[in-house]
Amino acid sequence: MKQMKRELSLIAIIALLFAVFSPTFVSAAQPMSTASSYILLYVDKVEAFLNGKQVQLDSPATIIKDKMFVPAKFLGDAMGMKVEWNDKTRQITMTTPGYNIVLDSDRNSVWVNGLMQPFDSAAAISKEGKLLIKLTWLADYMGARYTYNEELRRVEIIHTVKPNGIYIPNTGNSNPVAKFSFAKSTYKIGEPVKYVDLSYDPDAEGIAKFEWTGKEEAFFTPGTFPVTLTVWDGHGNKSDTYTRSITIEDKTYLSAIEYPIYMKPVGGYIKTDWSMLWGNFWNLPQLPKQVTTDDTRKLLVSDSPEEFTEKGILYQDKVKGKGRLYADHINGTKEKVTLAILAKNTTDKPVTIKTTNKGEVWPSVYANLIGNEASVDFLMNDPRNDSMTVPAKQTFIYSQMPEFYPGQGVNLFYDVETDGEIEFSFVATDSVNQNTLTQLPLLPFTGHVRGSFPVSEVKWNIDASSFASPSRIIIGDGVTDPFQPGYDPMRKKEVTNDGNYGVVYKIHSDKPRRMAVMILPYGGVFKGPFKINGEIRLVPESGVLTAFDGMQILARTTGKEDSLDIEFTPPAGSAFPIDLIFYPLDDK
């Protein structure tokens, strides 16, 4: 007898697992949406009917000791009853309106709302090892009506789903109702999905919280996908979860790569990974460009020693006419110092210095920040008419930054015009006065950029009017975009402006086609502004950007613009090269 009980328990456990996890015919596995379910079961036959459709059962209805037993899992699904196996407690839980039923074959017991009943009074195991439930017992708990036709050996079951009310008597309030629809019945792969929210609160308190699952802007594989919505009202009352399934056709509107390029706004961020980059954006063809340079403004770059460890003269050279003064330095000493630019008149006549543009940032420990801020300031090109006159043989302080502490850095741009020769000196010191130049040493070169360069502006005319496939231009690779040559008078040596820091790029296209323009920084960390048709765009809006973080959309054209103009200067603290990707857009 004990052996038999153990075998029965084992069979029951297997049956429970099969009942929960074994697939049945698809029509039988889905809860019906109609208010009433009409079920026909035939004794000892696996053929059955659910709402007029024939289905195949894993186990037939059967008569045991003159009592009708029916397949629990099938009826549970058909009538909206949850049938779940708990692996930890080795029990089956069945949930019906108003009743919580637990079947425990190990203890040969059934609990209904906590009251125990004998297992045999409610359940049995079929020859196929499936859980069967006594029909009269189940019907009472489910509120179902049934009849048995002896001649046809057929059971007819009618179950009407009683909708749950939303009124909460003890609070005098109602639960909100979650509901939504899709704007149309089917969508294509990569087509934006429009969700129509139909949720409401009967008490007119409004919906305070929405919780979606499965809600996507677009889907990129064909099929049917469930989307759910649950809402809460202002009192914290929760709705039932509402579910609809969306159908995605096996037709493509936009690919997963194209979708953000078409749909994200200008300034939008497109997340990338190595697979996406290598398969779609690496080694794109380059747009042809016509290059011209402006050598009317001499560029003085003071970037070595970038991190100075002692006070002294960082760089020094002369300007006569137009010049651009550029400095990028970090305080590597153990004390606070100031960075100043001194202007020495070496002639016998007064010389006037006019400042026509500037970009500067207060001292900071964030290298990318100071490069970005100074570049924004400079590219804005706010009108200026500052001037100072330096008497003959005199030295004036042209610019002086606030004191900055160890580890802090500064970045400076100044466009100047002089009517005579002026020697500009970039100095790090704790005291700036007329005698500073005679007291400070010339600091040695440490490997960063330092020198004077004839070219301070590069112009690229590109043809972006009719290209048909994604293309690019490269900035800062030293090959397709050569680094500008110059001379360092302190070392008396020819040098190159690696990175072209202090140089302004002006990129122009007539009649650009419809397209998106994106930046891909594949040389390392990047943070800096672009000026697109006169408007500043920050890259990124916050933080920094690398190739393995993503791309950012700089501009999008309609195909009706007269021109596209991009201005840029390499921001201090950022790495190069970078790609500007031009992605053609079709009418969608």
Side-chain angles (χ1 to χ4, degrees), residues 35 67 91-92 108 117 192 252 278 284 325 400 404 457 536 542 553:
K67 300 296 182 182
Q91 296 173 337
I92 277 187
N108 202 29
Q117 300 179 12
T252 300
W278 183 258
L284 291 176
L325 313 179
Q400 181 176 353
F404 62 121
E457 184 173 289
I536 290 292
S542 63
I553 299 177

Side-chain angles (χ1 to χ4, degrees), residues 189-249:
I189 293 171
E191 183 178 4
V193 178
K194 183 177 181 181
Y195 298 86
V196 182
D197 177 35
L198 302 172
S199 304
Y200 62 92
D201 180 56
D203 307 302
E205 297 163 347
I207 304 299
K209 177 183 175 183
F210 293 78
E211 185 177 277
W212 295 84
T213 65
K215 183 184 180 186
E216 302 288 346
E217 290 184 25
F219 294 79
F220 297 100
T221 53
T224 301
F225 304 93
V227 181
T228 72
L229 173 62
T230 308
V231 299
W232 285 259
D233 66 15
H235 286 88
N237 298 315
K238 179 182 176 182
S239 73
D240 289 337
T241 296
Y242 183 78
T243 302
R244 291 184 74 101
S245 291
I246 187 169
T247 300
I248 307 300
E249 302 176 80

Side-chain angles (χ1 to χ4, degrees), residues 32 37-40 48-55:
M32 303 306 297
S37 298
Y38 180 54
I39 304 161
L40 297 179
F49 288 87
L50 175 60
N51 294 329
K53 295 183 179 180
Q54 184 173 339
V55 296

Side-chain angles (χ1 to χ4, degrees), residues 17 28 53 94 107 171 216-217 246 269 277 325 402 427 430 447 469 506 535 542 555:
L17 290 171
K53 295 183 179 180
M94 305 170 67
R107 296 173 178 81
T171 64
E216 302 288 346
E217 290 184 25
I246 187 169
Y269 174 80
L277 291 174
L325 313 179
V427 300
D430 54 1
S469 59
K506 293 187 176 180
E535 182 179 336
S542 63

Side-chain angles (χ1 to χ4, degrees), residues 268-510:
Y269 174 80
I270 301 174
K271 187 172 177 58
T272 59
D273 55 31
W274 175 253
S275 175
M276 178 183 178
L277 291 174
W278 183 258
N280 299 277
F281 299 105
W282 221 254
N283 296 322
L284 291 176
Q286 296 188 49
L287 286 178
K289 61 179 183 282
Q290 294 179 338
V291 180
T292 57
T293 58
D294 183 352
D295 58 2
T296 63
R297 184 181 296 278
K298 184 179 182 180
L299 170 63
L300 277 61
V301 177
S302 177
D303 192 24
S304 181
E306 182 183 59
E307 181 176 1
F308 56 87
T309 57
E310 57 182 315
K311 291 170 284 189
I313 298 173
L314 302 160
Y315 186 61
Q316 188 178 76
D317 197 10
K318 297 176 181 178
V319 172
K320 185 177 182 180
K322 292 183 178 181
R324 176 170 298 156
L325 313 179
Y326 177 92
D328 181 43
H329 292 286
I330 298 171
N331 182 2
T333 72
K334 296 181 179 180
E335 57 186 303
K336 62 182 181 181
V337 297
T338 186
L339 179 72
I341 301 176
L342 306 181
K344 180 179 181 180
N345 182 354
T346 59
T347 71
D348 295 327
K349 297 180 180 179
V351 175
T352 298
I353 306 171
K354 292 183 179 179
T355 303
T356 57
N357 190 18
K358 76 172 182 177
E360 58 188 11
V361 61
W362 262 213
S364 170
V365 296
Y366 298 107
N368 298 111
L369 174 67
I370 62 176
N372 175 76
E373 296 291 326
S375 298
V376 170
D377 202 12
F378 190 76
L379 289 178
M380 285 299 296
N381 198 18
D382 293 329
R384 307 190 64 83
N385 193 24
D386 301 339
S387 65
M388 65 183 301
T389 300
V390 183
K393 305 298 182 179
Q394 294 292 313
T395 299
F396 277 14
I397 300 171
Y398 170 75
S399 173
Q400 181 176 353
M401 296 299 295
E403 292 177 328
F404 62 121
Y405 288 78
Q408 292 184 327
V410 293
N411 187 212
L412 309 171
F413 288 81
Y414 299 103
D415 274 357
V416 298
E417 295 180 9
T418 71
D419 59 3
E421 186 176 83
I422 291 288
E423 181 182 72
F424 288 98
S425 299
F426 301 79
V427 300
T429 181
D430 54 1
S431 176
V432 182
N433 52 52
Q434 300 287 351
N435 299 320
T436 294
L437 284 179
T438 61
Q439 299 171 351
L440 293 174
L442 298 175
L443 297 182
F445 177 77
T446 60
H448 289 266
V449 178
R450 187 175 78 183
S452 298
F453 305 91
V455 172
S456 60
E457 184 173 289
V458 175
K459 296 180 180 180
W460 292 350
N461 281 333
I462 62 173
D463 183 2
S465 61
S466 59
F467 68 101
S469 59
S471 303
R472 63 174 175 161
I473 57 175
I474 305 172
I475 299 177
D477 66 342
V479 180
T480 59
D481 174 26
F483 296 141
Q484 295 300 319
Y487 184 77
D488 180 358
M490 293 176 65
R491 290 186 290 158
K492 297 180 172 53
K493 183 178 179 180
E494 293 183 353
V495 294
T496 56
N497 185 358
D498 295 342
N500 283 343
Y501 292 101
V503 174
V504 172
Y505 290 75
K506 293 187 176 180
I507 304 167
H508 174 84
S509 174
D510 287 322

Side-chain angles (χ1 to χ4, degrees), residues 12 16 103-105 108-110 117-125 131:
L16 303 183
L103 296 101
D104 189 329
S105 61
N108 202 29
S109 300
V110 176
Q117 300 179 12
F119 185 84
D120 294 343
S121 68
I125 304 301
L131 175 66

